Amino acid sequence: SRNTYPISAKCVPCPEGTDNQGGYTNCTQCAPGTFSSSSGGTCTPCYEGYVTNEVGSKGCKACNPGEQANALRTQCTQCDAGFFNPDQGQGCKPCPLGHASGKGASLCI
């Protein structure tokens, strides 16, 4: 069975925050930037705008407005100048033509 590991003669689901990494012999904690929110699940990268820097994470937290997740999904970073993010848990977007923003902006002016 997928995402289980053997105990004696039977397989049991890996707990939240772990998966079997395809080995079927033991469960391994999810790496930073990934999570497993259900028993028997797989470690999945955090969604855009969400991060976790913990090992064995069961979920990811949303970045604040004016921020986005880094490529590894391990920390939130400020939007670059010329970009903005008005919402929690989203990525930074370029300012519309004729508008500007500074670093970490939640809106363009």
Side-chain angles (χ1 to χ4, degrees):
S1 173
R2 192 162 178 242
N3 294 320
T4 61
Y5 67 102
I7 290 186
S8 300
K10 68 176 186 170
C11 291
V12 296
C14 291
E16 295 175 353
T18 68
D19 78 8
N20 65 15
Q21 304 290 314
Y24 300 104
T25 56
N26 63 1
C27 296
T28 305
Q29 290 188 317
C30 296
T34 67
F35 72 103
S36 172
S37 61
S38 62
S39 177
T42 59
C43 295
T44 305
C46 294
Y47 305 117
E48 181 180 14
Y50 289 79
V51 298
T52 180
N53 61 4
E54 299 174 11
V55 173
S57 182
K58 298 174 188 174
C60 303
K61 70 173 183 116
C63 293
N64 293 320
E67 298 178 336
Q68 68 180 358
N70 66 352
L72 297 175
R73 306 284 198 250
T74 54
Q75 65 183 17
C76 297
T77 59
Q78 289 187 325
C79 295
D80 290 332
F83 289 80
F84 75 110
N85 177 12
D87 301 311
Q88 196 171 26
Q90 301 290 316
C92 298
K93 305 174 234 347
C95 288
L97 195 60
H99 295 79
S101 72
K103 189 175 180 86
S106 60
L107 56 91
C108 299
I109 53 171

